[in-house]
Amino acid sequence: MRIIVVGAEGDVGRAVCKELGSRHELIRAGRSQGDVTVDIADPQSVAAMYARTGMVDAVVSTAGEVHFGALCEFTREAFMIGLRNKVMGQINLVLGGFDHVVEGGSFTLTSGVLDRDPIPMGAGAATANGALGGFVVGAAIEMPRRQRINVVSPGLLDVSVPRYGAWFPGHEPVAAGRVGRAFAKSVEGALTGKVIIVG
């Protein structure tokens, strides 16, 4: 398969590339580095990425920015960071990708643990994660040309603990390899409309 991995340089993206890279041709995409660059919040940038890559068998997105902060200090704009980037950014990849993914191909998005196991200052991330789950469930029944769509919802990766572990008190880290295999299940399997929980 030819697979675009958006966010390939992040912890989740690296886990995906390690799992899928030995079996498939990967096109690594990121905001500032990769085989192609893309700003997923900008539909024109997404269109330019697809124009460069040509037809692919699958699109995997592990990208998306959210704001963390105390709820009483959240503003509309703080919430919009996650909605514009993590939610609409990944949705842009789907809406812009219908004609660039082969018949029977797939999209796999990334949400996260915080809509089901919240932490303080994580309401923005929880909102984005829940929205992505709803989008995938609703979109799956309308995907064109037998295309599939799923979202992987991982807990805190073990490799991320040194940077983010203090934000997740009591959370059991998940092995990066398990997260990579969850993406393989989505890309190489037959599931559609599923929230694939790893945690």
Side-chain angles (χ1 to χ4, degrees):
M1 295 184 189
R2 296 184 76 234
I3 303 169
I4 300 173
V5 180
V6 181
E9 291 302 315
D11 289 346
V12 177
R14 287 192 186 98
V16 171
C17 291
K18 183 175 181 181
E19 174 63 31
L20 295 176
S22 64
R23 301 188 292 280
H24 305 291
E25 177 190 348
L26 302 185
I27 303 166
R28 293 167 171 84
R31 187 181 298 178
S32 58
Q33 59 182 323
D35 301 314
V36 293
T37 57
V38 62
D39 176 1
I40 63 173
D42 179 358
Q44 291 185 329
S45 179
V46 170
M49 178 194 74
Y50 282 127
R52 287 191 61 190
T53 61
M55 293 297 291
V56 296
D57 298 280
V59 176
V60 173
S61 173
T62 66
E65 180 184 353
V66 295
H67 175 76
F68 285 85
L71 181 62
C72 61
E73 298 172 1
F74 252 77
T75 62
R76 178 184 181 280
E77 183 53 35
F79 268 109
M80 288 304 296
I81 292 171
L83 295 175
R84 263 196 310 267
N85 288 274
K86 187 165 187 178
V87 180
M88 278 312 304
Q90 296 193 81
I91 291 174
N92 287 338
L93 290 170
V94 178
L95 299 180
F98 291 139
D99 294 335
H100 301 278
V101 172
V102 300
E103 181 171 352
S106 68
F107 297 86
T108 305
L109 312 183
T110 303
S111 59
V113 68
L114 296 184
D115 60 327
R116 63 182 190 274
D117 194 357
I119 61 171
M121 298 194 289
T127 301
N129 293 345
L132 286 164
F135 169 71
V136 161
V137 170
I141 64 172
E142 296 188 70
M143 296 293 285
R145 297 186 298 116
R146 299 187 301 106
Q147 291 172 353
R148 299 181 298 105
I149 185 168
N150 298 295
V151 61
V152 175
S153 177
L156 175 68
L157 272 65
D158 52 5
V159 295
S160 303
V161 169
R163 280 173 294 160
Y164 304 117
W167 289 70
F168 290 79
H171 280 237
E172 189 70 33
V174 297
R178 284 187 60 210
V179 174
R181 288 190 292 276
F183 282 89
K185 174 189 258 189
S186 177
V187 172
E188 298 174 325
L191 295 175
T192 192
K194 301 298 182 184
V195 178
I196 303 171
I197 295 173
V198 190

